[in-house]
Amino acid sequence: MWRRRLGALLLRSPPSSSSAAASSCQHHRHHLLPSEEPLALNRLARLFTSQAGSDGGNSQKPFIAFVLGGPGSGKGTQCTKIASDFGFAHLSAGDLLRHEIASGSEKGELILDIIKEGRIVPSEITVELIRKAMETSSANKVLIDGFPRCEENRITFERIVGREPDIVVFFDCPEDEMVKRLLGRNQGRVDDNIETIKKRLKVFESLNIPVVDYYSSRGKVCKINATGTADEIFEAVRKLFSSLRF
Ligand SMILES: Nc1ncnc2c1ncn2[C@@H]1O[C@H](COP(=O)(O)OP(=O)(O)OP(=O)(O)O)[C@@H](O)[C@H]1O
Ligand SMILES: O=c1ccn([C@@H]2O[C@H](COP(=O)(O)O)[C@@H](O)[C@H]2O)c(=O)[nH]1
Ligand SMILES: [Mg+2]
């Protein structure tokens, strides 16, 4: 009850952005500019949002940002910059799956077949890889890049990890730009060919957008205009992350 009332008190508008790569964000409890925080309220907030454990208060739950956007929208590129400037651990679901393929496991063979087709790997497999990576990293702020891909992914994450993200960053990019970027990526990915790209775009529209809509309805989505250079886009990203309290 207290926490709910406090949450309502803490809602603030994010700063506005006039840059080309602007962001539009919804209200949520982490949008606090330190300069705007009344001290007492800030202290109360920390008291109520910290997850003190048996170690005397050091075991806080990590701040989780899901990073979504179409194939080639620049999620990986921007996550690298966020990790370096804001100290986040960067967990890319696609990279975890490709790592499993490279391990030569039986599961890896199944994953490879699915990725070649641009389809979605069974939720239990991906969530288990993410859960283990989160446990290993023990970071207090985590970017989960390219996940959840569908509602079932989302529900499985929330069930197994027992958390919702604190924020969802959505990179909004036109299809023709995404296709151009993917065809020029040149990293030898089995899914960077026009046939698979078309399938990935369809899966994105039909299964991933509903996840963005779900989190939008929960006030958690910050949409970033993902056109322009990577540095221009990062200016909008930097403004967003600078406004967060984590
Ligand atoms: N703003 C940009 N302008 C032009 N090229 C870009 C931009 N951002 C990233 N790229 C390039 O586009 C390609 C795709 O970018 P990136 O890998 O970051 O996208 P992604 O969203 O992670 O894609 P995927 O979903 O396939 O993993 C890369 O070759 C990257 O260098
Ligand atoms: O949560 C996920 C993430 C990825 N996949 C599969 O991997 C490829 C590549 O993912 P990228 O994020 O583009 O690196 C994707 O097309 C899916 O086939 C997945 O199933 N679940
Ligand atoms: Mg990527």
Side-chain angles (χ1 to χ4, degrees):
M1 182 61 156
W2 257 108
R3 187 180 290 204
R4 214 179 305 142
R5 277 200 200 143
L6 192 70
L9 275 172
L10 293 175
L11 294 176
R12 293 273 196 291
S13 295
S16 63
S17 167
S18 58
S19 71
S23 72
S24 86
C25 298
Q26 300 167 310
H27 292 177
H28 63 96
R29 73 181 171 90
H30 285 280
H31 274 145
L32 289 173
L33 291 172
S35 58
E36 292 177 354
E37 281 182 70
L39 191 60
L41 196 57
N42 190 25
R43 285 178 56 198
L44 256 181
R46 285 175 198 283
L47 198 68
F48 277 85
T49 55
S50 74
Q51 317 281 330
S54 56
D55 62 353
N58 287 330
S59 65
Q60 292 206 337
K61 287 189 180 177
F63 180 98
I64 297 177
F66 284 165
V67 179
L68 299 179
S73 58
K75 302 180 293 296
T77 304
Q78 295 299 324
C79 281
T80 303
K81 290 173 180 285
I82 300 166
S84 137
D85 279 26
F86 292 94
F88 274 72
H90 174 196
L91 305 182
S92 153
D95 284 351
L96 291 170
L97 293 168
R98 284 182 284 274
H99 192 258
E100 187 65 29
I101 296 171
S103 78
S105 72
E106 212 170 296
K107 224 185 284 169
E109 286 176 29
L110 167 75
I111 296 170
L112 177 59
D113 288 342
I114 294 172
I115 287 185
K116 276 184 189 163
E117 288 302 312
R119 291 184 289 113
I120 297 174
V121 171
S123 298
E124 267 75 12
I125 295 181
T126 315
V127 170
E128 205 40 42
L129 291 172
I130 294 172
R131 191 192 62 73
K132 277 192 203 143
M134 284 174 71
E135 212 174 87
T136 309
S137 105
S138 70
N140 68 347
K141 33 195 173 172
V142 182
L143 301 168
I144 301 185
D145 164 4
F147 178 92
R149 291 304 241 248
C150 60
E151 279 289 276
E152 203 232 339
N153 271 182
R154 173 185 73 71
I155 290 160
T156 307
F157 180 91
E158 290 179 2
R159 175 169 56 78
I160 293 180
V161 179
R163 286 285 308 277
E164 282 199 15
D166 295 285
I167 181 178
V168 177
V169 182
F170 173 58
F171 288 105
D172 188 24
C173 193
E175 266 194 27
D176 55 350
E177 176 64 19
M178 295 194 280
V179 173
K180 194 172 84 187
R181 290 181 190 174
L182 291 175
L183 291 176
R185 180 154 54 182
N186 246 339
Q187 287 177 359
R189 274 180 53 164
V190 292
D191 52 351
D192 279 352
N193 57 78
I194 192 63
E195 291 75 27
T196 314
I197 290 170
K198 281 182 188 160
K199 291 176 187 166
R200 289 160 70 194
L201 287 167
K202 275 197 185 140
V203 168
F204 169 67
E205 277 301 326
S206 59
L207 298 177
N208 202 194
I209 288 293
V211 176
V212 178
D213 290 344
Y214 170 82
Y215 284 124
S216 262
S217 74
R218 313 221 356 117
K220 296 201 170 195
V221 174
C222 284
K223 184 162 90 171
I224 305 270
N225 173 359
T227 58
T229 67
D231 284 346
E232 283 166 352
I233 296 162
F234 190 61
E235 276 317 302
V237 171
R238 188 201 301 283
K239 273 188 191 152
L240 165 62
F241 278 80
S242 300
S243 75
L244 298 175
R245 173 180 162 278
F246 33 68

Coordinates of all heavy atoms in Angstrom, one line a residue, residues 45-113:
A45 N 12.1 7.1 -0.9 CA 12.0 6.3 -2.1 C 13.0 5.2 -2.1 O 12.8 4.0 -2.4 CB 12.3 7.2 -3.4
R46 N 14.3 5.6 -1.7 CA 15.3 4.6 -1.6 C 15.0 3.5 -0.6 O 15.2 2.3 -0.9 CB 16.7 5.2 -1.3 CG 17.3 6.0 -2.5 CD 18.5 6.7 -2.1 NE 18.8 7.7 -3.0 CZ 19.3 7.5 -4.2 NH1 19.6 6.3 -4.6 NH2 19.5 8.5 -5.1
L47 N 14.4 3.9 0.5 CA 14.0 2.9 1.5 C 13.0 1.9 1.0 O 13.2 0.7 1.2 CB 13.4 3.7 2.7 CG 13.3 3.0 4.0 CD1 14.7 2.9 4.6 CD2 12.5 3.9 5.0
F48 N 12.0 2.5 0.2 CA 11.0 1.6 -0.2 C 11.3 0.8 -1.4 O 10.8 -0.3 -1.7 CB 9.7 2.4 -0.4 CG 8.9 2.6 0.8 CD1 9.3 3.7 1.6 CD2 7.9 1.8 1.2 CE1 8.6 3.9 2.8 CE2 7.2 2.0 2.4 CZ 7.6 3.0 3.2
T49 N 12.2 1.3 -2.3 CA 12.5 0.6 -3.5 C 13.7 -0.3 -3.3 O 14.0 -1.2 -4.2 CB 12.8 1.5 -4.7 OG1 13.8 2.4 -4.3 CG2 11.5 2.2 -5.1
S50 N 14.5 -0.2 -2.3 CA 15.7 -1.1 -2.1 C 15.2 -2.5 -1.7 O 14.1 -2.6 -1.0 CB 16.6 -0.5 -1.1 OG 16.1 -0.7 0.2
Q51 N 15.9 -3.5 -2.1 CA 15.5 -4.9 -1.8 C 16.5 -5.4 -0.8 O 17.3 -6.3 -1.2 CB 15.4 -5.7 -3.0 CG 14.8 -5.0 -4.2 CD 13.3 -5.0 -4.2 OE1 12.7 -5.9 -3.6 NE2 12.7 -4.0 -4.7
A52 N 16.5 -5.0 0.4 CA 17.5 -5.4 1.4 C 17.3 -6.9 1.7 O 16.2 -7.4 1.8 CB 17.3 -4.6 2.7
G53 N 18.5 -7.6 1.7 CA 18.5 -9.0 1.9 C 19.2 -9.4 3.2 O 19.4 -8.5 4.0
S54 N 19.5 -10.6 3.4 CA 20.1 -11.1 4.6 C 21.5 -10.6 4.8 O 22.1 -10.8 5.9 CB 20.0 -12.6 4.7 OG 20.7 -13.1 3.6
D55 N 22.1 -10.0 3.8 CA 23.5 -9.5 3.9 C 23.5 -8.1 4.4 O 24.5 -7.4 4.3 CB 24.2 -9.6 2.5 CG 23.5 -8.7 1.5 OD1 22.4 -8.2 1.8 OD2 24.1 -8.5 0.4
G56 N 22.4 -7.7 5.0 CA 22.4 -6.4 5.6 C 22.1 -5.2 4.6 O 22.4 -4.1 4.9
G57 N 21.6 -5.6 3.4 CA 21.2 -4.5 2.5 C 22.0 -4.4 1.3 O 21.7 -3.5 0.4
N58 N 23.0 -5.2 1.1 CA 23.8 -5.1 -0.1 C 23.2 -5.8 -1.4 O 23.7 -5.6 -2.5 CB 25.2 -5.6 0.1 CG 26.0 -4.7 1.0 OD1 25.7 -3.5 0.9 ND2 26.9 -5.2 1.8
S59 N 22.3 -6.7 -1.2 CA 21.8 -7.5 -2.3 C 20.6 -6.8 -2.9 O 19.4 -7.3 -2.8 CB 21.4 -8.9 -1.8 OG 20.3 -8.8 -0.9
Q60 N 20.8 -5.7 -3.7 CA 19.7 -5.0 -4.3 C 19.4 -5.8 -5.6 O 20.3 -6.3 -6.3 CB 20.1 -3.6 -4.6 CG 20.2 -2.8 -3.4 CD 20.0 -1.3 -3.7 OE1 20.2 -0.9 -4.8 NE2 19.6 -0.6 -2.7
K61 N 18.1 -5.8 -6.0 CA 17.8 -6.3 -7.3 C 18.3 -5.4 -8.4 O 18.3 -4.2 -8.2 CB 16.2 -6.4 -7.4 CG 15.6 -7.5 -6.6 CD 14.2 -7.7 -6.9 CE 13.6 -8.8 -6.1 NZ 12.1 -9.0 -6.3
P62 N 18.8 -6.0 -9.5 CA 19.4 -5.1 -10.5 C 18.3 -4.3 -11.2 O 17.2 -4.7 -11.3 CB 20.0 -6.1 -11.5 CG 19.3 -7.3 -11.3 CD 18.9 -7.4 -9.9
F63 N 18.7 -3.1 -11.7 CA 17.9 -2.3 -12.6 C 17.9 -3.0 -13.9 O 19.0 -3.2 -14.5 CB 18.4 -0.9 -12.6 CG 17.7 0.1 -13.5 CD1 16.7 0.9 -13.0 CD2 17.9 0.1 -14.9 CE1 16.0 1.8 -13.8 CE2 17.1 0.9 -15.7 CZ 16.2 1.8 -15.2
I64 N 16.7 -3.3 -14.5 CA 16.7 -4.0 -15.7 C 16.1 -3.1 -16.8 O 14.9 -2.6 -16.7 CB 15.8 -5.3 -15.6 CG1 16.5 -6.3 -14.6 CG2 15.7 -6.0 -17.0 CD1 15.7 -7.5 -14.4
A65 N 16.8 -3.0 -17.9 CA 16.3 -2.3 -19.1 C 16.2 -3.3 -20.3 O 17.2 -3.9 -20.7 CB 17.2 -1.2 -19.5
F66 N 15.0 -3.5 -20.8 CA 14.8 -4.3 -22.0 C 15.1 -3.4 -23.2 O 14.6 -2.2 -23.2 CB 13.4 -4.9 -22.1 CG 13.1 -6.1 -21.3 CD1 11.8 -6.5 -21.1 CD2 14.1 -6.8 -20.7 CE1 11.5 -7.6 -20.3 CE2 13.8 -8.0 -19.9 CZ 12.5 -8.3 -19.7
V67 N 15.9 -3.8 -24.1 CA 16.2 -3.0 -25.3 C 15.6 -3.6 -26.5 O 16.0 -4.7 -26.9 CB 17.7 -2.7 -25.4 CG1 18.0 -1.8 -26.7 CG2 18.2 -2.1 -24.2
L68 N 14.6 -3.0 -27.1 CA 13.9 -3.6 -28.2 C 13.9 -2.7 -29.5 O 14.3 -1.5 -29.4 CB 12.4 -3.9 -27.8 CG 12.2 -4.8 -26.7 CD1 10.7 -5.0 -26.3 CD2 12.8 -6.2 -27.0
G69 N 13.6 -3.3 -30.6 CA 13.6 -2.6 -31.9 C 13.7 -3.7 -33.0 O 14.1 -4.8 -32.7
G70 N 13.4 -3.3 -34.2 CA 13.5 -4.2 -35.3 C 14.9 -4.7 -35.5 O 15.9 -4.2 -35.0
P71 N 15.0 -5.8 -36.4 CA 16.3 -6.3 -36.8 C 17.1 -5.2 -37.5 O 16.6 -4.6 -38.4 CB 16.0 -7.4 -37.7 CG 14.6 -7.2 -38.2 CD 13.9 -6.5 -37.1
G72 N 18.3 -4.8 -37.0 CA 19.1 -3.8 -37.6 C 18.8 -2.4 -37.1 O 19.3 -1.4 -37.7
S73 N 17.9 -2.3 -36.2 CA 17.6 -0.9 -35.7 C 18.7 -0.3 -34.9 O 18.7 0.9 -34.6 CB 16.3 -0.9 -34.9 OG 16.5 -1.8 -33.7
G74 N 19.7 -1.1 -34.5 CA 20.9 -0.5 -33.8 C 20.9 -0.8 -32.3 O 21.7 -0.1 -31.6
K75 N 20.2 -1.8 -31.9 CA 20.2 -2.2 -30.5 C 21.6 -2.5 -29.9 O 22.0 -1.9 -28.9 CB 19.3 -3.4 -30.2 CG 17.8 -3.2 -30.7 CD 17.0 -4.5 -30.5 CE 17.4 -5.7 -31.3 NZ 17.2 -5.5 -32.8
G76 N 22.3 -3.4 -30.7 CA 23.6 -3.8 -30.2 C 24.6 -2.6 -30.1 O 25.3 -2.4 -29.2
T77 N 24.5 -1.8 -31.2 CA 25.4 -0.6 -31.3 C 25.2 0.4 -30.1 O 26.1 0.8 -29.5 CB 25.1 0.1 -32.6 OG1 25.3 -0.8 -33.7 CG2 26.0 1.3 -32.8
Q78 N 23.9 0.6 -29.8 CA 23.6 1.6 -28.8 C 23.9 1.0 -27.4 O 24.3 1.7 -26.5 CB 22.1 2.1 -28.9 CG 21.9 2.9 -30.1 CD 22.7 4.2 -30.2 OE1 23.0 4.8 -29.2 NE2 23.1 4.5 -31.5
C79 N 23.6 -0.3 -27.3 CA 23.9 -1.0 -26.0 C 25.3 -0.9 -25.6 O 25.7 -0.7 -24.4 CB 23.4 -2.4 -26.0 SG 21.6 -2.6 -25.8
T80 N 26.2 -1.1 -26.6 CA 27.6 -1.0 -26.3 C 28.0 0.3 -25.7 O 28.8 0.5 -24.8 CB 28.4 -1.3 -27.6 OG1 28.0 -2.5 -28.2 CG2 29.9 -1.2 -27.4
K81 N 27.4 1.4 -26.3 CA 27.7 2.7 -25.8 C 27.1 3.0 -24.4 O 27.7 3.6 -23.6 CB 27.1 3.8 -26.8 CG 27.8 3.8 -28.2 CD 27.0 4.8 -29.1 CE 27.7 4.9 -30.5 NZ 28.9 5.7 -30.5
I82 N 25.9 2.5 -24.2 CA 25.3 2.6 -22.9 C 26.1 1.9 -21.8 O 26.4 2.5 -20.7 CB 23.8 2.1 -22.9 CG1 22.9 2.8 -23.9 CG2 23.2 2.2 -21.5 CD1 21.6 2.1 -24.2
A83 N 26.5 0.7 -22.2 CA 27.3 -0.1 -21.2 C 28.6 0.7 -20.9 O 29.0 0.8 -19.7 CB 27.7 -1.5 -21.8
S84 N 29.2 1.2 -21.9 CA 30.5 1.9 -21.6 C 30.3 3.2 -20.9 O 31.1 3.5 -20.0 CB 31.2 2.1 -23.0 OG 31.8 3.3 -23.1
D85 N 29.3 4.0 -21.2 CA 29.1 5.3 -20.5 C 28.4 5.2 -19.2 O 28.5 6.1 -18.3 CB 28.3 6.3 -21.4 CG 29.2 6.9 -22.5 OD1 30.3 6.3 -22.8 OD2 28.9 8.0 -23.0
F86 N 27.5 4.2 -19.0 CA 26.6 4.2 -17.8 C 26.9 3.0 -16.9 O 26.2 2.8 -15.9 CB 25.2 4.3 -18.2 CG 24.8 5.7 -18.8 CD1 24.8 5.9 -20.1 CD2 24.5 6.7 -17.9 CE1 24.5 7.1 -20.7 CE2 24.1 8.0 -18.4 CZ 24.1 8.2 -19.8
G87 N 27.9 2.1 -17.3 CA 28.2 1.0 -16.5 C 27.3 -0.1 -16.4 O 27.2 -0.9 -15.4
F88 N 26.4 -0.3 -17.4 CA 25.5 -1.4 -17.5 C 26.2 -2.7 -18.0 O 27.1 -2.6 -18.8 CB 24.4 -1.1 -18.5 CG 23.2 -0.3 -17.9 CD1 23.4 1.0 -17.6 CD2 22.0 -0.9 -17.6 CE1 22.3 1.7 -17.0 CE2 20.9 -0.2 -17.1 CZ 21.1 1.1 -16.8
A89 N 25.7 -3.8 -17.5 CA 26.1 -5.1 -18.1 C 25.2 -5.2 -19.4 O 24.1 -4.8 -19.3 CB 25.8 -6.2 -17.2
H90 N 25.8 -5.7 -20.5 CA 25.1 -5.8 -21.7 C 24.9 -7.3 -22.0 O 25.8 -8.0 -22.4 CB 25.9 -5.1 -22.9 CG 25.3 -5.3 -24.2 ND1 26.0 -5.0 -25.4 CD2 24.1 -5.7 -24.6 CE1 25.3 -5.3 -26.4 NE2 24.1 -5.7 -26.0
L91 N 23.6 -7.7 -21.9 CA 23.3 -9.1 -22.2 C 22.5 -9.1 -23.5 O 21.3 -8.7 -23.5 CB 22.5 -9.8 -21.1 CG 23.2 -9.7 -19.7 CD1 22.3 -10.5 -18.7 CD2 24.6 -10.3 -19.7
S92 N 23.1 -9.6 -24.6 CA 22.3 -9.7 -25.9 C 21.8 -11.1 -26.0 O 22.6 -12.1 -25.9 CB 23.3 -9.4 -27.0 OG 22.8 -10.1 -28.2
A93 N 20.5 -11.2 -26.0 CA 19.9 -12.6 -26.1 C 20.4 -13.3 -27.4 O 20.7 -14.5 -27.3 CB 18.3 -12.5 -26.2
G94 N 20.5 -12.6 -28.5 CA 21.0 -13.2 -29.7 C 22.4 -13.7 -29.6 O 22.7 -14.8 -30.0
D95 N 23.2 -12.9 -28.9 CA 24.6 -13.4 -28.7 C 24.7 -14.6 -27.8 O 25.5 -15.5 -28.0 CB 25.5 -12.3 -28.0 CG 25.8 -11.2 -29.0 OD1 25.6 -11.4 -30.2 OD2 26.4 -10.1 -28.6
L96 N 23.8 -14.6 -26.8 CA 23.8 -15.8 -25.9 C 23.4 -17.1 -26.7 O 24.0 -18.1 -26.5 CB 22.8 -15.6 -24.7 CG 23.2 -14.5 -23.7 CD1 22.1 -14.2 -22.7 CD2 24.5 -15.0 -22.9
L97 N 22.4 -16.9 -27.6 CA 22.0 -18.0 -28.4 C 23.1 -18.5 -29.3 O 23.4 -19.7 -29.5 CB 20.7 -17.7 -29.2 CG 19.5 -17.4 -28.3 CD1 18.3 -16.8 -29.1 CD2 19.0 -18.8 -27.7
R98 N 23.8 -17.5 -29.9 CA 24.9 -17.8 -30.9 C 26.0 -18.5 -30.1 O 26.7 -19.4 -30.6 CB 25.4 -16.6 -31.6 CG 24.4 -16.1 -32.7 CD 24.9 -14.9 -33.5 NE 24.7 -13.7 -32.8 CZ 23.6 -13.0 -32.8 NH1 22.6 -13.3 -33.5 NH2 23.5 -11.8 -32.1
H99 N 26.2 -18.1 -28.9 CA 27.3 -18.7 -28.1 C 26.9 -20.2 -27.8 O 27.8 -21.0 -27.8 CB 27.4 -17.9 -26.8 CG 28.6 -18.2 -26.0 ND1 28.5 -19.1 -24.9 CD2 29.9 -17.9 -26.1 CE1 29.7 -19.2 -24.3 NE2 30.6 -18.5 -25.1
E100 N 25.6 -20.4 -27.6 CA 25.2 -21.8 -27.3 C 25.4 -22.6 -28.6 O 25.8 -23.8 -28.5 CB 23.7 -21.8 -26.9 CG 23.1 -23.1 -26.5 CD 23.7 -23.7 -25.2 OE1 24.2 -22.9 -24.4 OE2 23.8 -24.9 -25.1
I101 N 25.1 -22.0 -29.8 CA 25.4 -22.7 -31.0 C 26.9 -23.1 -31.1 O 27.3 -24.2 -31.4 CB 25.0 -21.9 -32.3 CG1 23.5 -21.6 -32.3 CG2 25.4 -22.5 -33.6 CD1 23.0 -20.6 -33.3
A102 N 27.7 -22.1 -30.8 CA 29.2 -22.3 -30.9 C 29.7 -23.3 -30.0 O 30.7 -24.0 -30.2 CB 29.9 -21.0 -30.7
S103 N 29.0 -23.6 -28.9 CA 29.4 -24.6 -27.9 C 29.3 -26.0 -28.4 O 29.8 -26.9 -27.9 CB 28.6 -24.5 -26.6 OG 27.3 -25.1 -26.8
G104 N 28.5 -26.2 -29.5 CA 28.4 -27.5 -30.2 C 27.4 -28.4 -29.4 O 27.3 -29.6 -29.7
S105 N 26.6 -27.8 -28.6 CA 25.6 -28.6 -27.8 C 24.4 -29.0 -28.7 O 24.2 -28.4 -29.8 CB 25.0 -27.8 -26.6 OG 24.2 -26.8 -27.1
E106 N 23.6 -30.0 -28.3 CA 22.5 -30.4 -29.0 C 21.5 -29.3 -29.1 O 20.8 -29.1 -30.2 CB 21.9 -31.6 -28.3 CG 21.2 -32.6 -29.2 CD 20.9 -33.9 -28.5 OE1 21.8 -34.6 -27.9 OE2 19.6 -34.2 -28.3
K107 N 21.3 -28.6 -28.0 CA 20.4 -27.4 -28.0 C 20.8 -26.4 -29.1 O 20.0 -25.8 -29.7 CB 20.5 -26.8 -26.6 CG 19.2 -26.4 -26.0 CD 19.3 -25.7 -24.7 CE 19.7 -26.6 -23.6 NZ 20.1 -25.8 -22.4
G108 N 22.2 -26.3 -29.2 CA 22.7 -25.3 -30.2 C 22.3 -25.7 -31.6 O 22.0 -24.7 -32.4
E109 N 22.2 -26.9 -31.9 CA 21.7 -27.3 -33.3 C 20.3 -26.9 -33.5 O 20.0 -26.4 -34.6 CB 21.8 -28.8 -33.5 CG 23.3 -29.3 -33.6 CD 23.3 -30.9 -33.7 OE1 22.4 -31.5 -34.1 OE2 24.4 -31.4 -33.2
L110 N 19.4 -27.1 -32.5 CA 18.0 -26.6 -32.6 C 18.0 -25.1 -32.8 O 17.3 -24.6 -33.7 CB 17.3 -27.1 -31.4 CG 15.9 -26.4 -31.2 CD1 14.9 -27.1 -32.1 CD2 15.4 -26.6 -29.7
I111 N 18.8 -24.4 -32.0 CA 18.8 -22.9 -32.1 C 19.2 -22.5 -33.5 O 18.6 -21.6 -34.0 CB 19.7 -22.3 -31.0 CG1 19.2 -22.7 -29.6 CG2 19.9 -20.8 -31.1 CD1 20.2 -22.4 -28.4
L112 N 20.2 -23.1 -34.0 CA 20.7 -22.7 -35.3 C 19.6 -22.8 -36.4 O 19.4 -21.9 -37.2 CB 22.0 -23.5 -35.7 CG 22.5 -23.3 -37.1 CD1 23.0 -21.8 -37.3 CD2 23.7 -24.2 -37.4
D113 N 18.9 -23.9 -36.4 CA 17.8 -24.1 -37.3 C 16.8 -23.0 -37.2 O 16.3 -22.5 -38.2 CB 17.1 -25.5 -37.1 CG 18.0 -26.6 -37.5 OD1 19.0 -26.4 -38.3 OD2 17.8 -27.8 -37.1

